């Protein structure tokens, strides 16, 4: 009997030790999980980009602080609602079709799209959307991030406008102008205005047909070598 009691006592001690060790492991893993969740939450809330998640019905299930600040709405006013509640119908329909495409194809989608802010201004977003899956691999929604690229779009529009202005001047001046570019050991005609074509007696159709080698046809043979040397010196920075 004493031997049996001693055995039971020993097993109880081992069970208590195992229980203590298991509790320590659970606590350690819980702390690591909490630290990981805290890090992820901090990252999502403090990144200067829109972060969002929607269910299959298009209802928002999460938006980060930056999203709320830029839309001028608290999270409680966004979660549970759809784009049709928050955006003009045409934009909301576009967002919805993109979401459906992501879920049906189960692939990433990157697009540039407009968004109307609370004050009525329009901004441009570069959005990346991906499908969300549950543990069984079923698609249960869409999540993504969006970066405000409004300033870049404005800069691109300004550059395009300036290019159009310069092109108009290029074509309007009565002086013949052609722009060449050197590729390796070859000089290729990049642009030529109508005045230069008239001087050379060549039509725009011939220009398009001959392409980059047209400049050799409109340059005196004695000047071709000199032009090649000059272009080489310009690209080498020896003259401007």
């Amino acid at each position: 009997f004493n031997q049996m009691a001693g055995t039971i006592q020993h097993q109880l001690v081992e069970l208590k030790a195992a229980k203590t060790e298991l509790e320590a492991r659970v606590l350690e893993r819980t702390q690591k999980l909490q630290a990981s969740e805290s890090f992820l939450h901090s990252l999502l809330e403090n990144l200067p980009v829109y972060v969002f998640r929607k269910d299959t019905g298009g209802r928002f299930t999460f938006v980060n602080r930056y999203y709320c600040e830029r839309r001028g709405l608290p999270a409680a006013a966004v979660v549970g609602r759809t784009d049709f509640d928050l955006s003009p119908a045409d934009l909301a329909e576009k967002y919805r079709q993109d979401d459906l495409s992501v879920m049906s194809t189960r692939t990433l989608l990157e697009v540039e799209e407009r968004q109307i802010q609370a004050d009525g201004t329009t901004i441009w977003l570069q959005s990346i959307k991906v499908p969300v899956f549950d543990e069984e691999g079923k698609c249960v929604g869409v999540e993504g991030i969006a970066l405000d690229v409004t300033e870049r779009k404005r800069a691109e529009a300004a550059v395009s406008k300036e290019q159009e202005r310069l092109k108009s001047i290029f074509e309007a001046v009565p002086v013949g102008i052609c722009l060449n570019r050197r590729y390796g050991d070859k000089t290729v005609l990049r642009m030529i205005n109508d005045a230069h074509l008239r001087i050379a007696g060549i039509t725009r159709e011939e220009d398009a047909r001959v392409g980059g080698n047209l400049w050799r046809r409109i340059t005196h043979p004695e000047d071709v070598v000199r032009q090649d040397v000059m272009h080489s010196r310009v690209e080498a920075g020896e003259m401007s």
Side-chain angles (χ1 to χ4, degrees):
F1 176 79
N2 291 335
Q3 183 178 1
M4 182 181 296
T7 300
I8 292 174
Q9 184 65 29
H10 179 69
Q11 289 176 340
L12 288 174
V13 171
E14 288 183 339
L15 285 173
K16 288 181 179 179
K19 178 175 178 293
T20 301
E21 182 181 358
L22 180 59
E23 289 176 341
R25 289 181 180 179
V26 170
L27 178 61
E28 180 183 5
R29 291 179 180 178
T30 300
Q31 290 174 337
K32 287 182 178 180
L33 179 60
Q34 290 175 340
S36 177
E37 289 179 345
S38 177
F39 169 76
L40 180 59
H41 178 77
S42 176
L43 186 66
L44 293 178
E45 289 298 331
N46 292 293
L47 280 174
V49 296
Y50 293 72
V51 181
F52 57 88
R53 177 177 282 194
K54 306 174 191 176
D55 63 19
T56 54
R59 291 176 291 271
F60 285 93
T61 59
F62 172 81
V63 287
N64 70 338
R65 183 168 58 191
Y66 186 83
Y67 181 103
C68 295
E69 291 174 352
R70 296 303 303 274
R71 295 305 302 267
L73 295 169
V78 179
V79 173
R81 303 175 73 184
T82 73
D83 286 308
F84 289 94
D85 300 314
L86 305 170
S87 301
D90 59 333
L91 293 180
E93 180 62 30
K94 195 260 183 199
Y95 303 154
R96 181 57 178 162
Q97 291 304 315
D98 286 345
D99 293 346
L100 291 173
S101 174
V102 169
M103 290 186 287
S104 64
T105 62
R106 302 166 76 91
T107 58
L108 176 150
L109 174 68
E110 183 172 357
V111 293
E112 287 188 354
E113 53 195 9
R114 292 183 300 118
Q115 185 183 85
I116 308 299
Q117 299 298 82
D119 61 3
T121 59
T122 299
I123 65 171
W124 280 92
L125 298 175
Q126 182 173 354
S127 301
I128 299 176
K129 298 180 178 182
V130 295
V132 179
F133 303 102
D134 63 14
E135 295 179 353
E136 298 178 352
K138 179 182 177 182
C139 184
V140 294
V142 172
E143 63 186 3
I145 62 172
L147 178 66
D148 188 339
V149 294
T150 306
E151 290 305 316
R152 193 200 76 198
K153 296 289 287 187
R154 288 174 180 167
E156 289 175 349
V159 169
S160 178
K161 184 177 180 179
E162 181 64 12
Q163 287 178 336
E164 286 299 318
R165 188 181 73 85
L166 293 176
K167 184 178 179 181
S168 297
I169 295 173
F170 180 79
E171 291 298 344
V173 294
V175 178
I177 303 174
C178 67
L179 304 178
N180 299 334
R181 176 72 183 271
R182 190 169 180 82
Y183 294 94
D185 60 348
K186 294 183 178 180
T187 299
V188 177
L189 179 67
R190 295 292 301 280
M191 292 179 66
I192 184 170
N193 69 349
D194 290 338
H196 205 310
L197 289 174
R198 287 194 298 270
I199 294 171
I202 296 173
T203 64
R204 182 63 67 183
E205 289 70 23
E206 288 178 290
D207 170 38
R209 186 169 60 254
V210 176
N213 290 322
L214 177 63
W215 83 276
R216 292 184 178 274
R217 288 183 53 186
I218 61 177
T219 303
H220 193 280
E222 295 179 0
D223 292 330
V224 170
V225 175
R226 183 178 62 83
Q227 291 272 14
D228 277 336
V229 172
M230 183 179 67
H231 293 156
S232 297
R233 293 186 62 189
V234 169
E235 295 202 349
E238 297 176 3
M239 61 181 295
S240 59

